Amino acid sequence: MDVEETEELVCLDPDLLQLQEVSPFALKSSPYVVEELFTQWLSLPDTCRLVKSLLADTKAGAPLSALENSTNTNALSSNSLPSLFPAGSTPPLSPRSSSGSPRTMKQRNSPSSLGSPLKLASEPVREVIPQFYFKNGCPPPNEMKEQFLYQIDSRFYGRLDGLQLHEFKSVTKEICKLPSFFSTALFKKIDVNFTGTITRDQFIDYWIRGNVLAMDLTTQIYTILKQSYRTYLVQDDFKPVLRELLSTHPGLEFLQSTPEFQERYAETVIHRIFYYMNKSGNGRLTLRELKRGNLIDAMLHVDEEEDINKVLRYFSYEHFYVIYCKFWELDTDHDFYIDRENLIKYGNHSLTYRIVDRIFSQVPRKFSSKVEGKMNYEDFVYFILAEEDKSSEPSLEYWFKCIDLDGNGVLTPNEMQFFYEEQLHRMECMAQEPVLFEDILCQIVDMIGPEVSRFVLVHLGCFFYLFLFYSSAV
């Protein structure tokens, strides 16, 4: 009887035995417990039948029905339970809560321990991030490219040998939308082999495949002017476009018989460009500085305006004429250099000796002249632009550095009085009623409102008020 009961006992459903739950940590520390339970499960007759059934289905090529077999196995196991006890003496099953213990609910709601939780979770949608970095900039839209190609095809139609320089000017202005005096610079940029002609494929390769089409106008001009081995513009980069401007602009035709003045005009324009645009003052004009200025607008203006003197920014011939004549008047020996004694005569001796000494000490700006104690034409252009237009930011910086003796960025009453003493002496020599420095200082303090009562902290925007009595004769 004992043997029969034991054989029947191995057929029991494990769920009906209500085995005590074992902690996962205990299973990890005692792996033999799991192995023992798995061995007992494999020894059950129903397990053997299930395995044999699955093997048979696999050999026959039939789909596996593990779930169905498992259900039948549980049913058979549950049916074998009453044979263990005499009829009418079956003990009641242990009551089970419909809600179950928190641990049981957690296990039921969690993914099955027999399968990977990644299989139950839906695979995340792989989002394709569009390309956001392009080495040569974002390529142009297809619509823009097709429209541009149509214009190129119409312009190069029947010209298999390409276009020459004089024929390329219309391409520069009408298709590329650049100032017309950029045609030579653009032509040489494309014609790297110096063949004298540009074919359709050469132009497309530079303008479209080089991604120049997608650039803004300022970047296009910067790319055309800049040398490939530099990341900035220098003064010589502007000479080709100014040379073409002098030869093609109707307002500058009268200069074609005087090449020397053409060269001086081009130099003056370039110096004016770097005076206003090159904020760092290092002679290297960056793309950022070019975008922050108004040079491109002035170029477009001068390309459309026949009267060059109406373009007041950079290109006015009258402005050049005044600057050059002032320099020529001060340069008495005409060696193209000015010394201290020459500059003191500027503006009917309006400058003081002390301010001239500061200028020649190269505090406001380092001279480009290689001759010690003398300034050349470029240095004079910077000086006269700062003198004549005191409201501009470069002018404010120029004169502020002259007055700031210790270079600490703050103007004190002592520093201002040092330069005013010479003006006061001039008043006394001219038998004029002197204006005391204290009275002028009070007016300055009232206008500026310094942060500290003992010092006059002059911001650049207010400095032009102070300049009036430092450089102007009374």
Side-chain angles (χ1 to χ4, degrees):
M1 180 64 182
D2 294 337
V3 176
E4 294 177 359
E5 291 181 358
T6 305
E7 292 178 357
E8 293 288 347
L9 185 61
V10 296
C11 297
L12 291 176
D13 186 356
D15 282 342
L16 299 178
L17 296 179
Q18 292 294 297
L19 296 177
Q20 184 178 1
E21 294 185 4
V22 183
S23 171
F25 301 102
L27 293 177
K28 289 183 179 180
S29 60
S30 304
Y32 66 88
V33 177
V34 180
E35 295 178 2
E36 184 66 24
L37 291 174
F38 183 68
T39 303
Q40 292 182 12
W41 180 78
L42 285 178
S43 63
L44 294 176
D46 291 333
T47 305
C48 295
R49 288 193 296 269
L50 175 61
V51 174
K52 290 179 180 180
S53 175
L54 293 175
L55 290 174
D57 293 342
T58 304
K59 291 180 180 180
L64 300 180
S65 55
L67 182 59
E68 181 181 356
N69 293 336
S70 178
T71 306
N72 297 335
T73 302
N74 291 338
L76 292 173
S77 300
S78 61
N79 293 336
S80 62
L81 182 62
S83 62
L84 185 64
F85 301 97
S89 62
T90 303
L93 296 177
S94 170
R96 295 188 179 184
S97 171
S98 60
S99 59
S101 64
R103 180 190 290 261
T104 305
M105 288 300 297
K106 183 177 180 181
Q107 291 179 348
R108 290 178 180 175
N109 295 335
S110 63
S112 172
S113 59
L114 297 178
S116 172
L118 296 178
K119 294 181 180 179
L120 297 180
S122 60
E123 295 233 351
V125 179
R126 188 171 182 180
E127 183 180 358
V128 179
I129 301 177
Q131 184 177 354
F132 57 88
Y133 171 76
F134 301 89
K135 183 178 180 180
N136 297 322
C138 183
N142 292 332
E143 183 179 353
M144 177 191 298
K145 187 186 301 184
E146 292 175 0
Q147 182 179 4
F148 191 79
L149 287 172
Y150 175 77
Q151 295 177 346
I152 294 176
D153 292 338
S154 61
R155 191 56 57 106
F156 282 86
Y157 180 75
R159 307 302 300 270
L160 299 179
D161 296 335
L163 300 177
Q164 296 182 356
L165 179 59
H166 67 277
E167 301 170 313
F168 190 73
K169 188 171 185 178
S170 60
V171 177
T172 304
K173 185 176 178 61
E174 298 174 10
I175 297 181
C176 299
K177 308 300 182 183
L178 294 171
S180 59
F181 52 90
F182 271 79
S183 59
T184 302
L186 179 59
F187 189 93
K188 292 181 178 180
K189 202 78 172 182
I190 301 174
D191 184 23
V192 293
N193 297 324
F194 306 102
T195 60
T197 58
I198 292 180
T199 63
R200 173 186 177 276
D201 293 339
Q202 285 179 312
F203 183 75
I204 291 177
D205 186 63
Y206 178 82
W207 198 261
I208 297 182
R209 295 191 182 96
N211 212 39
V212 182
L213 176 62
M215 299 177 182
D216 58 87
L217 180 59
T218 305
T219 308
Q220 289 176 348
I221 291 177
Y222 175 81
T223 304
I224 294 172
L225 295 178
K226 182 181 69 66
Q227 301 298 321
S228 59
Y229 53 87
R230 293 198 188 106
T231 57
Y232 51 85
L233 297 176
V234 296
Q235 294 190 13
D236 289 342
D237 294 332
F238 289 89
K239 289 183 178 180
V241 294
L242 286 173
R243 195 177 299 119
E244 185 173 1
L245 176 68
L246 284 163
S247 62
T248 59
H249 198 281
L252 297 172
E253 288 182 0
F254 65 95
L255 284 178
Q256 293 182 4
S257 59
T258 55
E260 180 183 356
F261 284 99
Q262 283 186 327
E263 183 180 352
R264 297 305 174 197
Y265 170 82
E267 287 182 4
T268 306
V269 172
I270 293 174
H271 297 332
R272 293 182 68 181
I273 290 174
F274 275 78
Y275 172 81
Y276 287 104
M277 303 285 292
N278 186 212
K279 302 297 183 181
S280 59
N282 59 358
R284 299 178 176 184
L285 188 62
T286 63
L287 177 60
R288 175 175 294 184
E289 291 175 330
L290 190 63
K291 287 185 175 182
R292 291 182 175 180
N294 55 6
L295 176 61
I296 307 302
D297 294 336
M299 287 180 171
L300 296 174
H301 186 193
V302 74
D303 193 39
E304 300 295 335
E305 180 60 58
E306 293 187 0
D307 188 355
I308 195 72
N309 293 319
K310 291 184 178 180
V311 187
L312 302 180
R313 296 172 294 183
Y314 312 110
F315 296 98
S316 171
Y317 179 81
E318 291 180 349
H319 290 179
F320 153 73
Y321 185 81
V322 172
I323 294 173
Y324 187 78
C325 288
K326 286 280 187 183
F327 179 83
W328 190 258
E329 178 184 349
L330 297 176
D331 182 21
T332 54
D333 57 358
H334 303 308
D335 61 349
F336 233 70
Y337 289 100
I338 291 178
D339 57 14
R340 283 179 171 84
E341 296 302 323
N342 298 138
L343 189 61
I344 199 69
K345 302 174 184 177
Y346 176 83
N348 195 21
H349 295 80
S350 62
L351 299 175
T352 64
Y353 282 96
R354 291 180 178 179
I355 206 69
V356 171
D357 289 340
R358 290 289 287 174
I359 294 173
F360 275 86
S361 64
Q362 304 182 35
V363 172
R365 179 184 178 273
K366 184 175 178 59
F367 287 169
S368 62
S369 171
K370 304 301 180 182
V371 180
E372 185 177 358
K374 292 187 177 183
M375 63 165 52
N376 59 15
Y377 181 67
E378 178 182 351
D379 302 322
F380 179 77
V381 170
Y382 273 74
F383 159 76
I384 195 172
L385 291 177
E387 160 65 18
E388 297 297 334
D389 183 14
K390 304 181 183 67
S391 61
S392 65
E393 183 176 342
S395 175
L396 299 175
E397 293 182 1
Y398 188 95
W399 296 112
F400 187 92
K401 291 177 181 178
C402 286
I403 309 301
D404 186 16
L405 294 175
D406 54 7
N408 63 348
V410 177
L411 298 187
T412 64
N414 291 335
E415 290 173 330
M416 293 186 291
Q417 188 172 11
F418 173 78
F419 291 95
Y420 187 71
E421 287 175 352
E422 195 168 350
Q423 297 284 28
L424 186 62
H425 178 69
R426 286 185 177 186
M427 296 181 199
E428 295 173 349
C429 293
M430 297 175 66
Q432 295 182 355
E433 182 180 358
V435 180
L436 299 179
F437 173 75
E438 289 76 9
D439 296 337
I440 296 181
L441 181 62
C442 288
Q443 297 180 22
I444 295 174
V445 171
D446 292 340
M447 286 189 298
I448 297 176
E451 300 176 3
V452 182
S453 58
R454 292 192 305 112
F455 300 92
V456 178
L457 306 181
V458 183
H459 301 291
L460 293 178
C462 304
F463 180 66
F464 67 95
Y465 292 110
L466 302 179
F467 178 76
L468 296 177
F469 60 85
Y470 288 135
S471 63
S472 300
V474 179

